[in-house]
Amino acid sequence: MKMNNVILKTTTQVVFFIIFLFSIHIFLAGHFAPGGGFVGGLLTASALVLLLLTYDLKTVKNLLPINYMTLTAVGLLLALGTASLSAFFGEAFFMHYFDHFNIPLLGDTELHTAMIFDLGVYFVVVGVTMIIIQSIGGDE
Amino acid sequence: MTQVLLIFLPVVCALLIPLLFKKLPSIHTGWFVLLVPASLAVYYATFVTKLENHGPYTSTFHWVKSLDLSFTSYIDGLSLLFSLLITGIGALVVLYSIFYLDKNKEQLHNFYFYLLMFMTAMLGVVQSDHLISLYLFWELTSISSFLLIGYWYNRDKSRFGALKSMMITVFGGLMMLGGFLLVANMGDTYSIRDLVAQAPTLASSPYFVLALVLILLGAFTKSAQFPFYIWLPDAMEAPTPVSAYLHSATMVKAGIYLVARLTPIFAISEYWIWLVLGSGLITLFWGSFFALKQTDLKGILAFSTVSQLGLIMSMLGAAAISLHVDGGSSAIFKFAAFAAIFHLINHATFKGSLFMIAGIVDHETGTRDIRKLGGLMSLMPISFTVAAIGSLSMAGLPPFNGFLSKELFFTSMLALKEFTLFNFDTWGAIIPIIAWVASVFTFAYCLYFLYNTFIAKSDYKELPKKPHEAPFGMLISPIILASFVVIIFFIPNIIGKYFVKPAVLAIQPQLYRSASEIDITVKAFHGFKSTELWMTIAVVIVGFILFSTMKKWRKIYTLVPEKWSFNHLYDQLMLAADVGSKKLSNLYMTGAIRHYLMYMFACIVALVVTTLFLKDGFKFSFAHTAKIGIFEVAIVIVLIVGTLTVLLAKSRLTAIIALGAVGYSVALFFIIFNAPDLALTQLVIETVSVALFLLAFYHLPKRYRIEERMPFKINNFLIALGVGIMVTLLALSAQSQKLIPSISQYYKDTVFTEAGGGNIVNVILVDYRGFDTLFEITVLSIAGMAIIGMIKLRLSRKEKKSHENE
């Protein structure tokens, strides 16, 4: 059964970016407002699921040629790397560093190594969710 | 140091045995083995004269110093006597086995390895001064005995006998270990010498009697006392040299040794006297009575060993009495210890030779069944002579050593009448009668053994082999033992001086200061006035009548059915342990996960609720609770309705959706309770999991898609109710009594200054306690990989299945 879901496809093209941006927002806001890597990752994954629902597995794979296994691994590496960074400086494992910087355009911004850790969480959550859904969906 | 290391000489030499067996197949391996016990016997013989002037010899090798474990070789009269018996008879048995076992047909490397291992174990038992190493060697004797009984392991009966002896002796050994530990705890030392030194204070300990009973259990099982004797007749499936060595001369005397060794500690207790004396007498009677029932040569000898061990044991019990009497009458009690040791030597000589003769008869005729044998006297004159000497000595006739020890035995039993403590005035008179009756039976089975094998008329053609005299090499050992039987009769006081008295000194150190103080001499003839002589004459007459009328009264053995025997009891116990435990575990290991969950939940409920009320932990107060608003009530109602729907729904789809409703209302709760992060996550996760549930539902096999309500089961209901109540009680109690304030204030104070953040939840997750998060994402990754694995690897399993079907 092939149906021409023009409405769905068009809406998705708009809504996908809104969800994706929202997920990035929630991820970046995590340190000061509700949100963070976990919820952000889940929302990104749901944006991708929306794509999967609208198109099919192959199309999405061609569109976003991401190996989610690698993504998960990279996420884990980032998290572990951040955590062990401090150990190289002779301090306790899992020590975070942060400071305020004056960045052009953004102004006074706080940069925090916890963000990199959270990015690891984000990658892992996106990766695992997509692995689960793709492998179940791809199974015949 | 060499003294203690020599204990290990046999087992070290044993390591060479397989090599010798393989490399020098032309020489019987036994010849090499013979050197070990022979040289050890010579070595121990040098102690005999030295011991008189110099005290006991000790030598210690520390094994685990920090735990106070050591191998201590302690040679006094008692252990020297046993060491000589072990090595001396060991050498004779090895010599005998060289001719008994065929070097081409038998697995000699196994046999001699086990035998040498046993020799070390036995030397260790009798020389150890340390309780733990004594126990170690004790179990080693059990193990090597097990291996030797099961030497012909392709025979069912051998394996059965080996297992039976193992079960019984190891049971006793473990009990004994318990007793040892109790005693060591009481005296705060493992050394037997030190324990003997503080014997009077030990008796006041509350565990004294318990330790006594446990140790006696070990001694009785090893020495085949009533009712643990049942393993010994079954152990006769071993090769005859083994039966002669282990099951007549050495291992079964380990229990005797233990009782003798510990007499100075425990003799103070009346329980010791009654248990040792009583069980010895019962065993004596029981063994001699049932020996007449046997038709197997070795069976008769096995029961006779049981009976003779009972005799020695009863005399050791009587020896314990001598510590309780003083004054004029004490002289008469001193005989018991002397008699026990003396008979121990005698028994080793005549029983060893008798077993060897039984082996020879078996070897030369092909059968041990006494009903088929007979008339061998003219064909095997030397064997007959040796057998006659052995059995007449066992029966207690002059001019053999058995006569002397039987006289001494009667003397010590008659003495018990004089003893008035511990209820002996009422029971003491019966004891000599039991002893006398048992001697009558002993006399009868000795005649039975001798007459039916060698004298009675029989048809040789029915025998599997044509009988003829054994090769000379096989006869050497029994002849040596038999000549000892005669020699000891004529020089009992020399044996007494060098062997018996030092041993008696070890048993009764409280009575004598040195062995030369013991003023006992053995006389063959006490004059016609002595009761003992008339008792012996009566034994001969009545025993002869009993033997000649045997056919008439033998029916009484069938009066008591097999069902009532101890063997049957043992079989039933083993069966019950096997079948019963299987039944028991089948009862609760049903394989149904539902049942296991029920056990677990029921246990948790029982444990938690009991603890809560026993420890008075249940508290209930509303002091710190917040006000309940209208939103909370509404959400709770939705939650309850959702939960009930899950439970009562007829369709699975309804249940899944209701579960989703429950999840979303929990998310609502998070919103009300100011947990935006949790609410966000809960919403997304609930959506994902409902989707997965729907997926699982969609793929259910068609025949399981029957839509029906979950059946009501009262057990499940009760357990679920219990768990619910338990959790509620626990939560209420935990809420009502807070011991320490929460640490959350610290987070509130430092979230910006220290961690540079504003969202406490997220900062805790990535900073304060980022460790948890690190591993949670690891868990997620593993779950993802596992799902891939399950889905992708399924293909190969399908292939495997199709392979199997082919």
Side-chain angles (χ1 to χ4, degrees):
Chain A
M1 185 181 72
K2 272 255 174 184
M3 276 218 298
N4 204 354
N5 280 325
V6 184
I7 299 173
L8 182 62
K9 284 182 180 171
T10 319
T11 328
T12 303
Q13 281 161 10
V14 180
V15 170
F16 170 74
F17 287 104
I18 297 174
I19 301 177
F20 185 67
L21 283 178
F22 180 60
S23 77
I24 297 294
H25 165 75
I26 270 203
F27 164 66
L28 289 174
H31 221 53
F32 285 93
F38 199 82
V39 186
L42 280 176
L43 280 175
T44 308
S46 45
L48 292 171
V49 170
L50 186 63
L51 276 187
L52 282 175
L53 287 176
T54 316
Y55 303 97
D56 55 279
L57 262 177
K58 250 185 192 162
T59 321
V60 177
K61 259 186 191 167
N62 288 336
L63 207 63
L64 298 165
I66 304 169
N67 183 344
Y68 293 106
M69 231 12 193
T70 321
L71 192 70
T72 313
V74 169
L76 280 176
L77 262 181
L78 274 181
L80 189 63
T82 320
S84 41
L85 191 66
S86 53
F88 290 110
F89 300 129
E91 283 179 86
F93 184 64
F94 238 113
M95 183 91 164
H96 282 305
Y97 302 96
F98 68 94
D99 210 343
H100 290 260
F101 296 96
N102 238 329
I103 294 172
L105 290 177
L106 294 174
D108 179 39
T109 312
E110 187 196 88
L111 289 184
H112 202 305
T113 49
M115 200 44 125
I116 309 173
F117 182 78
D118 229 8
L119 188 66
V121 176
Y122 175 86
F123 280 170
V124 169
V125 172
V126 173
V128 169
T129 318
M130 291 314 291
I131 284 172
I132 294 174
I133 286 166
Q134 276 191 353
S135 55
I136 292 177
D139 179 49
E140 274 135 40
Chain B
M1 196 68 177
T2 46
Q3 187 188 325
V4 65
L5 289 182
L6 278 177
I7 293 178
F8 296 94
L9 179 73
V11 83
V12 171
C13 292
L15 296 175
L16 297 173
I17 296 299
L19 194 73
L20 290 169
F21 179 70
K22 279 265 156 66
K23 295 286 166 193
L24 296 168
S26 53
I27 307 170
H28 196 287
T29 318
W31 289 112
F32 304 109
V33 179
L34 184 58
L35 295 173
V36 179
S39 50
L40 278 177
V42 172
Y43 171 74
Y44 288 122
T46 58
F47 280 92
V48 173
T49 45
K50 281 197 285 182
L51 207 61
E52 215 180 7
N53 305 319
H54 312 279
Y57 290 85
T58 53
S59 158
T60 304
F61 169 74
H62 288 285
W63 168 31
V64 183
K65 226 170 189 171
S66 52
L67 291 177
D68 190 23
L69 294 180
S70 62
F71 290 118
T72 302
S73 159
Y74 175 71
I75 295 195
D76 63 352
L78 188 64
S79 43
L80 180 63
L81 172 67
F82 272 92
S83 304
L84 275 170
L85 278 180
I86 291 158
T87 49
I89 295 187
L92 293 177
V93 161
V94 170
L95 182 65
Y96 174 77
S97 70
I98 290 171
F99 297 93
Y100 187 84
L101 295 172
D102 191 292
K103 72 169 185 276
N104 299 319
K105 289 181 197 154
E106 302 286 349
Q107 298 163 309
L108 293 177
H109 53 307
N110 288 352
F111 181 80
Y112 286 115
F113 191 100
Y114 302 154
L115 199 73
L116 286 175
M117 189 163 99
F118 171 79
M119 209 175 282
T120 284
M122 206 57 216
L123 284 175
V125 165
V126 299
Q127 291 183 11
S128 281
D129 183 52
H130 193 280
L131 285 175
I132 300 299
S133 46
L134 172 57
Y135 170 73
L136 190 83
F137 288 120
W138 185 276
E139 291 298 26
L140 194 58
T141 63
S142 297
I143 291 166
S144 44
S145 159
F146 168 78
L147 291 169
L148 283 167
I149 297 169
Y151 170 68
W152 286 309
Y153 51 77
N154 39 12
R155 298 184 189 170
D156 274 345
K157 275 185 160 183
S158 296
R159 293 200 302 269
F160 174 77
L163 186 66
K164 194 172 183 179
S165 74
M166 181 85 163
M167 294 299 282
I168 293 175
T169 52
V170 167
F171 159 76
L174 285 173
M175 296 293 123
M176 190 186 79
L177 176 64
F180 278 176
L181 293 177
L182 279 177
V183 173
N185 202 15
M186 283 179 236
D188 201 27
T189 172
Y190 284 116
S191 162
I192 297 173
R193 270 175 301 157
D194 295 349
L195 285 168
V196 169
Q198 46 177 306
T201 52
L202 290 183
S204 56
S205 163
Y207 300 114
F208 186 70
V209 177
L210 180 62
L212 183 158
V213 171
L214 287 176
I215 290 176
L216 278 186
L217 265 178
F220 287 173
T221 48
K222 200 71 160 182
S223 278
Q225 297 294 298
F226 183 88
F228 306 113
Y229 68 89
I230 50 170
W231 65 267
L232 190 61
D234 283 308
M236 291 302 134
E237 291 305 321
T240 305
V242 173
S243 310
Y245 188 39
L246 272 71
H247 306 126
S248 73
T250 52
M251 190 181 83
V252 286
K253 294 199 171 110
I256 302 276
Y257 167 78
L258 193 73
V259 169
R261 178 57 85 198
L262 299 180
T263 292
I265 301 177
F266 290 112
I268 202 161
S269 161
E270 61 173 305
Y271 296 98
W272 177 269
I273 296 171
W274 270 116
L275 278 172
V276 176
L277 181 69
S279 82
L281 280 171
I282 296 172
T283 314
L284 165 66
F285 172 74
W286 194 271
S288 60
F289 179 65
F290 278 96
L292 273 172
K293 185 193 175 188
Q294 308 305 314
T295 52
D296 176 28
L297 279 186
K298 281 171 87 177
I300 302 173
L301 292 178
F303 273 94
S304 127
T305 304
V306 169
S307 151
Q308 301 281 321
L309 290 170
L311 189 149
I312 300 173
M313 199 62 100
S314 66
M315 284 195 282
L316 283 175
I321 289 177
S322 61
L323 293 176
H324 296 271
V325 282
D326 41 32
S329 64
S330 70
I332 198 167
F333 288 103
K334 288 179 178 171
F335 275 99
F338 187 91
I341 297 299
F342 191 55
H343 190 68
L344 186 131
I345 300 172
N346 296 343
H347 177 251
T349 55
F350 64 69
K351 191 53 64 64
S353 67
L354 282 178
F355 263 111
M356 290 174 186
I357 292 302
I360 287 172
V361 169
D362 183 19
H363 206 263
E364 302 308 328
T365 63
T367 183
R368 295 194 318 241
D369 194 329
I370 205 159
R371 287 166 298 190
K372 291 182 190 161
L373 293 166
L376 296 175
M377 183 167 69
S378 52
L379 293 168
M380 304 168 76
I382 304 174
S383 311
F384 167 72
T385 315
V386 174
I389 291 173
S391 40
L392 292 180
S393 171
M394 185 154 75
L397 289 185
F400 308 112
N401 56 9
F403 173 72
L404 300 175
S405 42
K406 185 137 290 180
E407 297 279 285
L408 284 168
F409 169 60
F410 284 146
T411 311
S412 47
M413 289 298 123
L414 284 170
L416 292 178
K417 276 194 299 188
E418 318 289 323
F419 190 56
T420 47
L421 282 171
F422 312 144
N423 294 332
F424 265 90
D425 34 1
T426 47
W427 297 98
I430 304 174
I431 291 169
I433 299 172
I434 300 175
W436 182 81
V437 174
S439 300
V440 171
F441 278 106
T442 305
F443 188 84
Y445 74 67
C446 290
L447 283 188
Y448 170 63
F449 175 83
L450 194 63
Y451 182 83
N452 286 23
T453 313
F454 290 99
I455 301 169
K457 277 175 192 159
S458 157
D459 195 3
Y460 302 128
K461 280 164 196 159
E462 282 178 20
L463 293 175
K465 286 184 188 172
K466 196 168 170 281
H468 56 80
E469 186 58 275
F472 181 66
M474 216 181 214
L475 286 166
I476 300 173
S477 305
I479 288 174
I480 293 174
L481 285 173
S483 47
F484 271 121
V485 169
V486 183
I487 292 168
I488 291 174
F489 176 80
F490 290 107
I491 52 156
N493 290 319
I494 294 175
I495 299 288
K497 186 185 173 203
Y498 287 109
F499 298 102
V500 182
K501 283 182 185 172
V504 171
L505 180 68
I507 299 176
Q508 301 176 322
Q510 290 98 327
L511 293 182
Y512 313 103
R513 256 169 298 151
S514 72
S516 50
E517 248 180 61
I518 304 171
D519 48 351
I520 300 170
T521 48
V522 189
K523 276 183 288 182
F525 186 63
H526 296 272
F528 287 110
K529 278 186 184 169
S530 74
T531 332
E532 294 90 330
L533 182 68
W534 291 110
M535 277 171 87
T536 306
I537 292 170
V539 163
V540 173
I541 296 167
V542 180
F544 198 78
I545 296 169
L546 202 65
F547 167 68
S548 47
T549 57
M550 211 172 118
K551 274 182 191 146
K552 284 173 191 157
W553 60 266
R554 226 179 160 187
K555 281 180 206 138
I556 62 159
Y557 286 117
T558 51
L559 280 182
V560 180
E562 194 63 21
K563 258 201 300 196
W564 294 87
S565 70
F566 286 106
N567 279 319
H568 187 75
L569 182 71
Y570 169 82
D571 292 342
Q572 288 303 310
L573 269 177
M574 296 305 281
L575 202 70
D578 190 4
V579 176
S581 52
K582 200 170 176 182
K583 263 187 193 162
L584 185 71
S585 42
N586 281 349
L587 200 68
Y588 65 91
M589 300 300 284
T590 51
I593 293 176
R594 197 174 73 90
H595 290 159
Y596 301 154
L597 287 175
M598 276 167 66
Y599 307 147
M600 287 189 237
F601 281 124
C603 282
I604 294 172
V605 170
L607 287 174
V608 170
V609 173
T610 325
T611 316
L612 204 60
F613 283 96
L614 276 183
K615 295 277 170 193
D616 200 20
F618 181 65
K619 293 272 160 46
F620 183 57
S621 89
F622 280 118
H624 299 290
T625 45
K627 269 191 186 141
I628 301 172
I630 179 82
F631 287 117
E632 283 97 327
V633 175
I635 298 170
V636 164
I637 290 172
V638 174
L639 212 104
I640 292 174
V641 171
T643 314
L644 284 177
T645 317
V646 172
L647 291 175
L648 301 175
K650 204 179 162 199
S651 139
R652 284 197 173 86
L653 205 58
T654 321
I656 293 170
I657 289 165
L659 205 61
V662 171
Y664 286 133
S665 38
V666 170
L668 278 181
F669 259 125
F670 286 144
I671 292 171
I672 293 179
F673 292 148
N674 301 325
D677 292 88
L678 290 184
L680 267 174
T681 316
Q682 171 70 20
L683 275 174
V684 183
I685 286 293
E686 190 60 38
T687 314
V688 172
S689 52
V690 167
L692 287 176
F693 269 125
L694 286 174
L695 183 77
F697 171 74
Y698 180 74
H699 284 291
L700 267 183
K702 282 226 167 65
R703 61 189 168 117
Y704 288 115
R705 275 204 218 168
I706 315 149
E707 299 285 312
E708 63 181 27
R709 189 164 286 146
M710 192 166 59
F712 179 79
K713 289 196 177 94
I714 186 76
N715 289 344
N716 293 7
F717 175 73
L718 285 178
I719 287 174
L721 197 69
V723 172
I725 290 171
M726 175 199 83
V727 173
T728 313
L729 288 179
L730 212 59
L732 282 175
S733 315
Q735 204 278 331
S736 308
Q737 36 191 347
K738 278 198 173 137
L739 289 178
I740 43 171
S742 160
I743 88 161
S744 53
Q745 192 57 44
Y746 169 78
Y747 292 139
K748 280 182 206 162
D749 293 343
T750 58
V751 65
F752 188 74
T753 53
E754 296 274 329
N759 177 359
I760 295 186
V761 175
N762 200 47
V763 171
I764 290 178
L765 283 178
V766 300
D767 198 345
Y768 290 120
R769 309 193 51 183
F771 229 135
D772 295 350
T773 314
L774 183 60
F775 288 103
E776 273 155 24
I777 57 176
T778 316
V779 168
L780 258 184
S781 320
I782 292 170
M785 279 188 283
I787 287 173
I788 287 188
M790 283 198 298
I791 288 170
K792 302 278 174 193
L793 295 181
R794 207 177 47 185
L795 257 179
S796 60
R797 206 166 53 196
K798 258 184 197 164
E799 279 167 9
K800 203 176 153 196
K801 249 185 192 167
S802 62
H803 273 296
E804 278 169 4
N805 289 341
E806 283 163 15

